[in-house]
Amino acid sequence: MIQRPRGTRDFLPDEMERRRHFEGILRDTAKNFGFREVATPMFEESELFILRSGPNVLKELYAFKDKGDREIALRPEMTAPVVRMFVNGMSNEPKPIKVFYFGQCFRYERPQSGRYREFFQFGSEIIGNAGAATDAEAIALAAAMIKALGLKDYRIRIGHIGVLRQRIADAGVPKERTAEVLQKLDKKLYDEGRPLMEEMGVSAADIDDIFALTETVGDVSVLSKVPGEAGDYLRELVSLLEAMGVRDVEIDLGVVRGLDYYTGMVFEAEAPALGAEKQICGGGSYTLSELFGGEKVFSTGFAIGFDRILLAMEKEGIGYQPEGIDAYVIPVSDDVRVKAAEIVSALRAAGVSADIDIMGRKMQKALKYASGAGARHCVIVGAKELEAGNVILRDMSTGDQREVPVKDIAEQFI
Ligand code: HAM
């Protein structure tokens, strides 16, 4: 038997319906905030991701040569593609450009619960403006999405990668090696970060100071420890968020992010119940457009790990009842099959979701099948009732049955 590739999943109808339902909630929330949907290709020229995504993403890139010898990669994320799209065709549009997207991304990771090689992101980007108001808009949307899904146990942590980058540069880390150091700090691998920075000539005092900076965590009051303009900036951001009703945020200067392109504010949301793969959302401000041949444009965005947030919701018991169907039509014998086809078709045309037995099942089996398919009613088409112009309408929750004229059948469902 051929199996699906490692780290991928199939979604059966119940699961797919649940996913579409919650995806719809995210889409509605994004629209409610004035964002519009875009889509980009699932594969791009590898270069797009090599330019600035950083070592973490590169080692996981699904890259190959196509038949025309072009270097192609399946997208590991969608920020770079959206910015490329902006440079290619939207750069003259009035700013800011507020877009959202939903789709699969690919990373060659070691699969485990909450970590897949093909996974789905629901993300958004605000392109064309830098500032606390832009960052607040992005974080407020992320918070509203998480809330709209009904998740209770989560944390939003906000940091500023600019502060850390500056401190690392001041300590003497060469620019081209910043990513290596940030990678250690992201994972809090201090034991590995120390010798790495020592080798680059950073003093022990500076190293301690950098580690202390990444441990600057707490409520808004810790901002008094954040040096310079970044502290003022984050204070302004937090007060905007408060005004927008987002009060449950924490400050954490240890938020580093796994991608290389962030320049200022960075944030993450996590659902502690998920354990190791608890990060359900990540984002921040960045500039990428100048790398792709456009002007330098400031942007802020984030992406929710759709699969992960669904897992977190499942752990909290946030269920979803499949919609089922309004009616299941059962022809009692072969001679009424044409009439039954006419009836199911009239129901469908009237907007009533309806299915029909095409297996020729006996009544008990047909009713059982209908119940399994979540039918709220069965329309039983029998020769005897038809003679009087009627069918039997059965309420599947109570088992009550009554005769209804065929011509009035659709009305019963309004
Ligand atoms: P990211 O943190 O790499 O950021 O990914 C966003 C989210 O995708 C993560 O928080 C996580 O929930 C989910 N995710 C990542 N890898 C996997 C995986 N292998 N399996 C399941 N879920 C996963 C970005 O991709 C940025 N483009 C976000 C952004 C948008 N920044 C600015 N704009």
Side-chain angles (χ1 to χ4, degrees), residues 9 57 60 76-80 101 105-107 109-110 112 114-121 123-125 257-259 261-262 268-269 277-286 299-309:
R9 288 151 303 153
V57 163
E60 296 166 354
E77 57 109 39
M78 288 192 259
T79 303
Y101 47 81
C105 298
F106 305 86
R107 295 184 191 177
E109 303 208 63
R110 201 130 66 97
Q112 61 188 68
R115 195 203 284 171
Y116 312 100
R117 289 185 175 167
E118 183 195 38
F119 61 99
F120 289 72
Q121 283 191 351
S124 86
E125 312 294 338
R257 308 282 302 120
L259 289 148
Y261 46 62
Y262 298 103
E268 287 178 354
E277 304 304 321
K278 64 185 174 189
Q279 200 197 112
I280 52 172
C281 172
S285 62
Y286 61 90
S299 313
T300 302
F302 69 88
I304 287 181
F306 187 61
D307 312 275
R308 282 197 195 162
I309 205 161

CSV table of all heavy atoms in Angstrom, one decimal, residues 9 57 60 76-80 101 105-107 109-110 112 114-121 123-125 257-259 261-262 268-269 277-286 299-309, ligand 1:
chain,number,residue,atom,x,y,z
A,9,ARG,N,-0.4,15.1,6.2
A,9,ARG,CA,-1.7,14.5,6.7
A,9,ARG,C,-2.7,14.5,5.6
A,9,ARG,O,-2.7,15.3,4.7
A,9,ARG,CB,-2.1,15.3,7.9
A,9,ARG,CG,-1.3,15.1,9.1
A,9,ARG,CD,-1.3,16.3,10.0
A,9,ARG,NE,-0.9,17.5,9.3
A,9,ARG,CZ,-1.2,18.7,9.5
A,9,ARG,NH1,-2.0,19.0,10.5
A,9,ARG,NH2,-0.7,19.7,8.8
A,57,VAL,N,15.6,28.4,8.6
A,57,VAL,CA,14.6,28.0,7.5
A,57,VAL,C,15.4,27.4,6.3
A,57,VAL,O,14.9,26.4,5.8
A,57,VAL,CB,13.9,29.3,7.1
A,57,VAL,CG1,13.2,29.1,5.7
A,57,VAL,CG2,12.8,29.7,8.1
A,60,GLU,N,15.9,23.7,6.3
A,60,GLU,CA,14.6,22.9,6.2
A,60,GLU,C,13.9,23.1,4.9
A,60,GLU,O,12.8,22.7,4.7
A,60,GLU,CB,13.7,23.4,7.3
A,60,GLU,CG,14.2,23.0,8.7
A,60,GLU,CD,13.5,23.8,9.8
A,60,GLU,OE1,12.6,24.6,9.5
A,60,GLU,OE2,13.7,23.5,11.0
A,76,PRO,N,8.4,27.9,2.5
A,76,PRO,CA,8.5,27.5,4.0
A,76,PRO,C,7.6,28.5,4.8
A,76,PRO,O,7.4,28.2,6.0
A,76,PRO,CB,9.9,27.6,4.3
A,76,PRO,CG,10.5,28.7,3.4
A,76,PRO,CD,9.7,28.6,2.1
A,77,GLU,N,7.3,29.6,4.2
A,77,GLU,CA,6.5,30.6,4.9
A,77,GLU,C,6.0,31.6,3.8
A,77,GLU,O,6.3,31.4,2.6
A,77,GLU,CB,7.3,31.4,5.9
A,77,GLU,CG,8.6,32.0,5.3
A,77,GLU,CD,8.5,33.5,5.2
A,77,GLU,OE1,8.0,34.1,6.2
A,77,GLU,OE2,8.9,34.1,4.2
A,78,MET,N,5.1,32.5,4.2
A,78,MET,CA,4.5,33.3,3.1
A,78,MET,C,4.8,34.8,3.2
A,78,MET,O,4.3,35.6,2.3
A,78,MET,CB,3.0,33.1,3.1
A,78,MET,CG,2.7,31.7,2.6
A,78,MET,SD,0.9,31.5,2.3
A,78,MET,CE,0.5,30.6,3.8
A,79,THR,N,5.7,35.2,4.1
A,79,THR,CA,6.0,36.7,4.2
A,79,THR,C,6.8,37.1,2.9
A,79,THR,O,6.5,38.1,2.3
A,79,THR,CB,6.7,37.0,5.5
A,79,THR,OG1,5.9,36.6,6.5
A,79,THR,CG2,7.0,38.5,5.6
A,80,ALA,N,7.9,36.3,2.7
A,80,ALA,CA,8.7,36.7,1.5
A,80,ALA,C,7.9,36.6,0.2
A,80,ALA,O,8.0,37.6,-0.6
A,80,ALA,CB,9.9,35.8,1.4
A,101,TYR,N,-3.6,35.9,4.3
A,101,TYR,CA,-3.5,34.7,3.4
A,101,TYR,C,-3.6,33.5,4.3
A,101,TYR,O,-3.4,33.5,5.5
A,101,TYR,CB,-2.1,34.7,2.7
A,101,TYR,CG,-1.0,35.0,3.7
A,101,TYR,CD1,-0.4,34.0,4.5
A,101,TYR,CD2,-0.4,36.3,3.8
A,101,TYR,CE1,0.6,34.3,5.4
A,101,TYR,CE2,0.6,36.6,4.7
A,101,TYR,CZ,1.1,35.6,5.5
A,101,TYR,OH,2.1,35.9,6.3
A,105,CYS,N,2.5,25.5,4.0
A,105,CYS,CA,3.9,25.8,3.9
A,105,CYS,C,4.6,24.5,4.1
A,105,CYS,O,4.0,23.5,4.6
A,105,CYS,CB,4.3,26.8,5.0
A,105,CYS,SG,3.5,28.4,4.9
A,106,PHE,N,5.9,24.5,3.7
A,106,PHE,CA,6.6,23.2,3.7
A,106,PHE,C,8.0,23.4,4.4
A,106,PHE,O,8.7,24.3,4.0
A,106,PHE,CB,6.8,22.7,2.3
A,106,PHE,CG,5.5,22.6,1.5
A,106,PHE,CD1,5.0,23.7,0.9
A,106,PHE,CD2,4.8,21.4,1.5
A,106,PHE,CE1,3.8,23.6,0.2
A,106,PHE,CE2,3.6,21.3,0.8
A,106,PHE,CZ,3.1,22.4,0.2
A,107,ARG,N,8.2,22.6,5.4
A,107,ARG,CA,9.6,22.6,6.0
A,107,ARG,C,10.0,21.2,6.3
A,107,ARG,O,9.2,20.4,6.9
A,107,ARG,CB,9.5,23.5,7.3
A,107,ARG,CG,9.2,24.9,7.1
A,107,ARG,CD,9.2,25.7,8.4
A,107,ARG,NE,8.7,27.1,8.2
A,107,ARG,CZ,8.5,28.0,9.1
A,107,ARG,NH1,8.9,27.7,10.4
A,107,ARG,NH2,8.0,29.1,8.8
A,109,GLU,N,11.2,19.3,8.5
A,109,GLU,CA,11.5,19.2,9.9
A,109,GLU,C,11.3,17.8,10.4
A,109,GLU,O,10.8,16.9,9.7
A,109,GLU,CB,10.5,20.0,10.7
A,109,GLU,CG,10.5,21.5,10.3
A,109,GLU,CD,10.1,22.4,11.4
A,109,GLU,OE1,10.8,22.5,12.4
A,109,GLU,OE2,9.0,23.1,11.2
A,110,ARG,N,11.7,17.5,11.6
A,110,ARG,CA,11.5,16.2,12.2
A,110,ARG,C,10.0,16.1,12.7
A,110,ARG,O,9.7,16.9,13.6
A,110,ARG,CB,12.4,15.9,13.3
A,110,ARG,CG,12.6,14.4,13.6
A,110,ARG,CD,14.0,14.0,13.7
A,110,ARG,NE,14.7,14.6,14.8
A,110,ARG,CZ,14.8,14.0,16.0
A,110,ARG,NH1,14.4,12.8,16.2
A,110,ARG,NH2,15.4,14.6,17.0
A,112,GLN,N,6.6,15.6,14.5
A,112,GLN,CA,6.1,15.2,15.8
A,112,GLN,C,4.7,15.9,16.0
A,112,GLN,O,4.3,16.6,15.1
A,112,GLN,CB,7.1,15.5,16.9
A,112,GLN,CG,7.3,17.0,17.0
A,112,GLN,CD,8.4,17.3,18.0
A,112,GLN,OE1,9.6,17.0,17.7
A,112,GLN,NE2,8.1,17.9,19.1
A,114,GLY,N,2.2,18.4,16.4
A,114,GLY,CA,2.2,19.9,16.2
A,114,GLY,C,3.3,20.4,15.3
A,114,GLY,O,3.5,21.6,15.1
A,115,ARG,N,4.1,19.4,14.8
A,115,ARG,CA,5.2,19.8,13.8
A,115,ARG,C,5.1,18.9,12.6
A,115,ARG,O,5.3,17.7,12.7
A,115,ARG,CB,6.5,19.7,14.5
A,115,ARG,CG,7.6,20.5,13.7
A,115,ARG,CD,8.9,20.0,14.0
A,115,ARG,NE,9.5,20.5,15.3
A,115,ARG,CZ,10.6,20.0,15.8
A,115,ARG,NH1,11.3,19.1,15.2
A,115,ARG,NH2,11.0,20.5,16.9
A,116,TYR,N,4.9,19.5,11.5
A,116,TYR,CA,4.7,18.7,10.2
A,116,TYR,C,5.6,19.2,9.1
A,116,TYR,O,6.1,20.3,9.2
A,116,TYR,CB,3.2,18.8,9.8
A,116,TYR,CG,2.2,18.6,10.9
A,116,TYR,CD1,1.6,19.7,11.6
A,116,TYR,CD2,2.0,17.3,11.4
A,116,TYR,CE1,0.8,19.5,12.6
A,116,TYR,CE2,1.1,17.1,12.4
A,116,TYR,CZ,0.5,18.2,13.1
A,116,TYR,OH,-0.3,17.9,14.1
A,117,ARG,N,5.7,18.4,8.1
A,117,ARG,CA,6.5,18.9,6.9
A,117,ARG,C,5.6,19.7,6.0
A,117,ARG,O,6.1,20.6,5.3
A,117,ARG,CB,7.1,17.7,6.2
A,117,ARG,CG,8.2,17.1,7.1
A,117,ARG,CD,9.0,16.0,6.4
A,117,ARG,NE,10.1,15.7,7.3
A,117,ARG,CZ,10.8,14.6,7.2
A,117,ARG,NH1,10.6,13.8,6.2
A,117,ARG,NH2,11.8,14.4,8.0
A,118,GLU,N,4.3,19.4,6.0
A,118,GLU,CA,3.4,20.3,5.3
A,118,GLU,C,2.4,20.8,6.4
A,118,GLU,O,1.7,20.0,7.1
A,118,GLU,CB,2.6,19.5,4.3
A,118,GLU,CG,1.6,20.5,3.5
A,118,GLU,CD,0.6,19.7,2.7
A,118,GLU,OE1,0.1,18.7,3.2
A,118,GLU,OE2,0.2,20.1,1.6
A,119,PHE,N,2.3,22.1,6.6
A,119,PHE,CA,1.4,22.7,7.6
A,119,PHE,C,0.8,23.9,7.1
A,119,PHE,O,1.2,24.4,6.0
A,119,PHE,CB,2.2,23.0,8.9
A,119,PHE,CG,3.3,24.0,8.7
A,119,PHE,CD1,3.1,25.3,9.0
A,119,PHE,CD2,4.5,23.6,8.2
A,119,PHE,CE1,4.1,26.2,8.9
A,119,PHE,CE2,5.5,24.5,8.0
A,119,PHE,CZ,5.3,25.8,8.3
A,120,PHE,N,-0.2,24.4,7.8
A,120,PHE,CA,-1.0,25.6,7.3
A,120,PHE,C,-0.8,26.8,8.1
A,120,PHE,O,-0.8,26.7,9.3
A,120,PHE,CB,-2.5,25.2,7.3
A,120,PHE,CG,-2.8,24.2,6.2
A,120,PHE,CD1,-2.4,22.9,6.4
A,120,PHE,CD2,-3.5,24.6,5.1
A,120,PHE,CE1,-2.7,21.9,5.4
A,120,PHE,CE2,-3.8,23.6,4.1
A,120,PHE,CZ,-3.4,22.3,4.3
A,121,GLN,N,-0.6,27.9,7.4
A,121,GLN,CA,-0.5,29.2,8.1
A,121,GLN,C,-1.6,30.1,7.7
A,121,GLN,O,-2.0,30.1,6.6
A,121,GLN,CB,0.8,29.9,7.8
A,121,GLN,CG,2.1,29.4,8.4
A,121,GLN,CD,3.3,30.3,8.2
A,121,GLN,OE1,3.2,31.2,7.5
A,121,GLN,NE2,4.3,30.0,8.9
A,123,GLY,N,-2.0,34.0,7.9
A,123,GLY,CA,-1.1,35.1,8.3
A,123,GLY,C,-1.6,36.5,7.7
A,123,GLY,O,-2.6,36.5,6.9
A,124,SER,N,-1.0,37.5,8.1
A,124,SER,CA,-1.3,38.8,7.6
A,124,SER,C,-0.1,39.7,7.5
A,124,SER,O,0.9,39.5,8.3
A,124,SER,CB,-2.4,39.5,8.4
A,124,SER,OG,-1.8,40.2,9.5
A,125,GLU,N,-0.1,40.7,6.6
A,125,GLU,CA,1.0,41.6,6.5
A,125,GLU,C,0.4,43.0,6.3
A,125,GLU,O,-0.5,43.2,5.6
A,125,GLU,CB,1.9,41.3,5.3
A,125,GLU,CG,2.4,39.9,5.1
A,125,GLU,CD,3.3,39.3,6.2
A,125,GLU,OE1,4.0,40.1,6.9
A,125,GLU,OE2,3.3,38.1,6.4
A,257,ARG,N,12.7,35.0,17.6
A,257,ARG,CA,12.1,34.5,16.3
A,257,ARG,C,13.2,33.7,15.5
A,257,ARG,O,14.3,33.9,15.6
A,257,ARG,CB,11.6,35.7,15.5
A,257,ARG,CG,10.7,36.7,16.2
A,257,ARG,CD,9.3,36.1,16.3
A,257,ARG,NE,8.7,35.8,15.0
A,257,ARG,CZ,8.3,34.6,14.7
A,257,ARG,NH1,8.4,33.6,15.5
A,257,ARG,NH2,7.8,34.3,13.5
A,258,GLY,N,12.6,32.7,14.8
A,258,GLY,CA,13.5,31.8,14.1
A,258,GLY,C,13.9,32.4,12.7
A,258,GLY,O,14.7,31.8,12.0
A,259,LEU,N,13.2,33.4,12.3
A,259,LEU,CA,13.5,34.0,10.9
A,259,LEU,C,14.4,35.2,11.1
A,259,LEU,O,14.3,35.9,12.1
A,259,LEU,CB,12.2,34.3,10.2
A,259,LEU,CG,11.4,33.1,9.8
A,259,LEU,CD1,9.9,33.4,9.8
A,259,LEU,CD2,11.8,32.7,8.4
A,261,TYR,N,14.6,38.1,9.2
A,261,TYR,CA,14.4,39.4,8.6
A,261,TYR,C,13.8,40.5,9.5
A,261,TYR,O,13.6,41.6,9.1
A,261,TYR,CB,13.5,39.3,7.3
A,261,TYR,CG,12.3,38.4,7.5
A,261,TYR,CD1,11.2,38.6,8.4
A,261,TYR,CD2,12.1,37.2,6.6
A,261,TYR,CE1,10.1,37.8,8.4
A,261,TYR,CE2,11.0,36.4,6.7
A,261,TYR,CZ,10.0,36.7,7.6
A,261,TYR,OH,8.9,35.9,7.7
A,262,TYR,N,13.5,40.1,10.8
A,262,TYR,CA,12.9,41.1,11.7
A,262,TYR,C,13.9,42.2,12.1
A,262,TYR,O,15.1,42.0,12.3
A,262,TYR,CB,12.3,40.4,12.9
A,262,TYR,CG,11.3,39.4,12.6
A,262,TYR,CD1,11.6,38.1,12.6
A,262,TYR,CD2,10.0,39.8,12.2
A,262,TYR,CE1,10.6,37.1,12.2
A,262,TYR,CE2,9.0,38.9,11.9
A,262,TYR,CZ,9.3,37.6,11.9
A,262,TYR,OH,8.4,36.6,11.5
A,268,GLU,N,5.3,36.8,19.9
A,268,GLU,CA,4.9,35.4,19.7
A,268,GLU,C,3.7,35.1,20.6
A,268,GLU,O,3.5,35.7,21.7
A,268,GLU,CB,6.0,34.4,20.1
A,268,GLU,CG,7.2,34.4,19.1
A,268,GLU,CD,8.4,33.6,19.5
A,268,GLU,OE1,8.4,33.0,20.6
A,268,GLU,OE2,9.2,33.4,18.7
A,269,ALA,N,2.9,34.2,20.2
A,269,ALA,CA,1.8,33.7,21.1
A,269,ALA,C,2.0,32.2,21.3
A,269,ALA,O,2.4,31.5,20.4
A,269,ALA,CB,0.4,33.9,20.5
A,277,GLU,N,5.9,22.1,21.2
A,277,GLU,CA,5.5,22.9,20.0
A,277,GLU,C,4.4,23.8,20.4
A,277,GLU,O,3.3,23.8,19.8
A,277,GLU,CB,5.1,21.9,18.9
A,277,GLU,CG,6.2,20.9,18.5
A,277,GLU,CD,7.5,21.5,18.2
A,277,GLU,OE1,7.5,22.5,17.5
A,277,GLU,OE2,8.5,20.9,18.6
A,278,LYS,N,4.7,24.7,21.4
A,278,LYS,CA,3.6,25.5,21.9
A,278,LYS,C,3.4,26.8,21.2
A,278,LYS,O,2.4,27.5,21.4
A,278,LYS,CB,3.8,25.7,23.4
A,278,LYS,CG,5.0,26.5,23.7
A,278,LYS,CD,5.3,26.6,25.2
A,278,LYS,CE,6.6,27.3,25.4
A,278,LYS,NZ,7.0,27.3,26.8
A,279,GLN,N,4.3,27.2,20.3
A,279,GLN,CA,4.2,28.5,19.6
A,279,GLN,C,3.1,28.4,18.6
A,279,GLN,O,3.2,27.7,17.6
A,279,GLN,CB,5.5,28.8,19.0
A,279,GLN,CG,5.6,30.3,18.7
A,279,GLN,CD,6.7,30.6,17.7
A,279,GLN,OE1,6.4,31.0,16.6
A,279,GLN,NE2,7.9,30.4,18.1
A,280,ILE,N,2.0,29.1,18.8
A,280,ILE,CA,0.9,29.1,17.9
A,280,ILE,C,0.9,30.3,16.9
A,280,ILE,O,0.1,30.3,16.0
A,280,ILE,CB,-0.5,29.0,18.6
A,280,ILE,CG1,-0.5,30.2,19.7
A,280,ILE,CG2,-0.7,27.7,19.3
A,280,ILE,CD1,-1.9,30.3,20.3
A,281,CYS,N,1.7,31.3,17.2
A,281,CYS,CA,1.7,32.5,16.3
A,281,CYS,C,3.0,33.2,16.5
A,281,CYS,O,3.6,33.2,17.6
A,281,CYS,CB,0.6,33.3,16.7
A,281,CYS,SG,0.5,35.0,16.0
A,282,GLY,N,3.5,33.8,15.4
A,282,GLY,CA,4.8,34.5,15.5
A,282,GLY,C,4.8,35.6,14.5
A,282,GLY,O,4.2,35.5,13.4
A,283,GLY,N,5.4,36.7,14.8
A,283,GLY,CA,5.5,37.8,13.8
A,283,GLY,C,6.3,39.0,14.3
A,283,GLY,O,7.0,38.9,15.3
A,284,GLY,N,6.3,40.1,13.6
A,284,GLY,CA,7.1,41.2,13.9
A,284,GLY,C,7.2,42.2,12.8
A,284,GLY,O,6.6,42.0,11.7
A,285,SER,N,8.0,43.2,13.0
A,285,SER,CA,8.2,44.2,11.9
A,285,SER,C,9.6,43.9,11.2
A,285,SER,O,10.5,43.4,11.8
A,285,SER,CB,8.2,45.6,12.5
A,285,SER,OG,9.3,45.8,13.4
A,286,TYR,N,9.6,44.2,9.9
A,286,TYR,CA,10.7,43.8,9.1
A,286,TYR,C,10.8,44.7,7.8
A,286,TYR,O,9.8,45.4,7.5
A,286,TYR,CB,10.5,42.3,8.7
A,286,TYR,CG,9.3,42.1,7.8
A,286,TYR,CD1,9.3,42.2,6.5
A,286,TYR,CD2,8.0,41.9,8.5
A,286,TYR,CE1,8.1,42.1,5.7
A,286,TYR,CE2,6.9,41.7,7.8
A,286,TYR,CZ,6.9,41.8,6.4
A,286,TYR,OH,5.7,41.7,5.7
A,299,SER,N,7.3,47.1,7.1
A,299,SER,CA,6.1,46.2,7.2
A,299,SER,C,6.1,45.5,8.5
A,299,SER,O,7.1,45.4,9.3
A,299,SER,CB,6.2,45.1,6.1
A,299,SER,OG,6.6,45.6,4.9
A,300,THR,N,4.9,45.1,8.9
A,300,THR,CA,4.7,44.2,10.1
A,300,THR,C,3.7,43.1,9.7
A,300,THR,O,2.8,43.4,9.0
A,300,THR,CB,4.1,45.1,11.2
A,300,THR,OG1,5.0,46.2,11.5
A,300,THR,CG2,4.0,44.2,12.5
A,301,GLY,N,4.0,42.0,10.2
A,301,GLY,CA,3.0,40.9,10.0
A,301,GLY,C,3.2,39.8,11.0
A,301,GLY,O,4.0,39.8,11.9
A,302,PHE,N,2.4,38.8,10.8
A,302,PHE,CA,2.4,37.6,11.7
A,302,PHE,C,1.8,36.4,11.0
A,302,PHE,O,1.1,36.6,10.0
A,302,PHE,CB,1.7,37.8,13.0
A,302,PHE,CG,0.2,38.0,12.9
A,302,PHE,CD1,-0.6,36.8,13.0
A,302,PHE,CD2,-0.4,39.2,12.7
A,302,PHE,CE1,-2.0,37.0,12.8
A,302,PHE,CE2,-1.8,39.3,12.5
A,302,PHE,CZ,-2.6,38.2,12.6
A,303,ALA,N,2.0,35.2,11.5
A,303,ALA,CA,1.3,34.1,11.0
A,303,ALA,C,0.9,33.2,12.2
A,303,ALA,O,1.7,32.9,13.1
A,303,ALA,CB,2.2,33.3,10.0
A,304,ILE,N,-0.3,32.7,12.1
A,304,ILE,CA,-0.8,31.8,13.1
A,304,ILE,C,-0.6,30.4,12.5
A,304,ILE,O,-0.9,30.1,11.3
A,304,ILE,CB,-2.3,32.0,13.3
A,304,ILE,CG1,-2.5,33.2,14.2
A,304,ILE,CG2,-2.9,30.8,14.0
A,304,ILE,CD1,-4.0,33.5,14.5
A,305,GLY,N,0.0,29.5,13.3
A,305,GLY,CA,0.1,28.1,12.9
A,305,GLY,C,-1.2,27.4,13.1
A,305,GLY,O,-1.6,27.1,14.2
A,306,PHE,N,-1.9,27.3,11.9
A,306,PHE,CA,-3.3,26.9,12.0
A,306,PHE,C,-3.5,25.5,12.6
A,306,PHE,O,-4.4,25.3,13.5
A,306,PHE,CB,-3.9,26.9,10.6
A,306,PHE,CG,-5.4,26.6,10.5
A,306,PHE,CD1,-6.3,27.5,11.1
A,306,PHE,CD2,-5.9,25.5,9.8
A,306,PHE,CE1,-7.6,27.3,11.0
A,306,PHE,CE2,-7.2,25.3,9.7
A,306,PHE,CZ,-8.1,26.2,10.3
A,307,ASP,N,-2.6,24.6,12.3
A,307,ASP,CA,-2.7,23.2,12.8
A,307,ASP,C,-2.5,23.2,14.3
A,307,ASP,O,-3.1,22.5,15.0
A,307,ASP,CB,-1.6,22.3,12.1
A,307,ASP,CG,-1.6,22.5,10.7
A,307,ASP,OD1,-2.4,21.8,10.0
A,307,ASP,OD2,-0.9,23.3,10.1
A,308,ARG,N,-1.5,24.0,14.7
A,308,ARG,CA,-1.2,24.1,16.2
A,308,ARG,C,-2.3,24.7,17.0
A,308,ARG,O,-2.6,24.2,18.1
A,308,ARG,CB,0.1,24.9,16.4
A,308,ARG,CG,1.3,24.1,16.0
A,308,ARG,CD,2.5,24.7,16.6
A,308,ARG,NE,3.6,24.0,16.0
A,308,ARG,CZ,4.8,24.5,16.0
A,308,ARG,NH1,5.1,25.7,16.6
A,308,ARG,NH2,5.8,23.9,15.3
A,309,ILE,N,-2.9,25.7,16.5
A,309,ILE,CA,-3.9,26.4,17.3
A,309,ILE,C,-5.2,25.4,17.3
A,309,ILE,O,-5.8,25.4,18.4
A,309,ILE,CB,-4.3,27.8,16.7
A,309,ILE,CG1,-4.9,28.6,17.8
A,309,ILE,CG2,-5.2,27.8,15.5
A,309,ILE,CD1,-4.8,30.1,17.6
B,1,HAM,P1,7.1,31.3,12.0
B,1,HAM,O1,7.2,31.5,13.5
B,1,HAM,O2,8.3,30.6,11.4
B,1,HAM,O3,6.9,32.7,11.3
B,1,HAM,O4,5.8,30.4,11.7
B,1,HAM,C1,4.5,30.9,12.1
B,1,HAM,C2,3.8,29.8,12.8
B,1,HAM,O5,3.7,28.6,12.0
B,1,HAM,C3,4.5,29.2,14.1
B,1,HAM,O6,4.3,30.1,15.2
B,1,HAM,C4,3.9,27.9,14.2
B,1,HAM,O7,2.7,27.9,14.9
B,1,HAM,C5,3.6,27.5,12.8
B,1,HAM,N1,4.6,26.5,12.3
B,1,HAM,C6,5.9,26.7,11.9
B,1,HAM,N2,6.5,25.6,11.6
B,1,HAM,C7,5.6,24.6,11.7
B,1,HAM,C8,5.5,23.2,11.4
B,1,HAM,N3,6.6,22.5,10.9
B,1,HAM,N4,4.4,22.5,11.7
B,1,HAM,C9,3.3,23.1,12.2
B,1,HAM,N5,3.3,24.5,12.4
B,1,HAM,C10,4.4,25.2,12.2
B,1,HAM,C11,6.7,32.9,10.0
B,1,HAM,O8,6.5,32.0,9.2
B,1,HAM,C12,6.6,34.3,9.5
B,1,HAM,N6,6.4,34.4,8.1
B,1,HAM,C13,5.5,35.0,10.3
B,1,HAM,C14,5.4,36.5,9.9
B,1,HAM,C15,4.5,37.0,9.0
B,1,HAM,N7,6.3,37.4,10.2
B,1,HAM,C16,5.9,38.6,9.6
B,1,HAM,N8,4.9,38.3,8.9
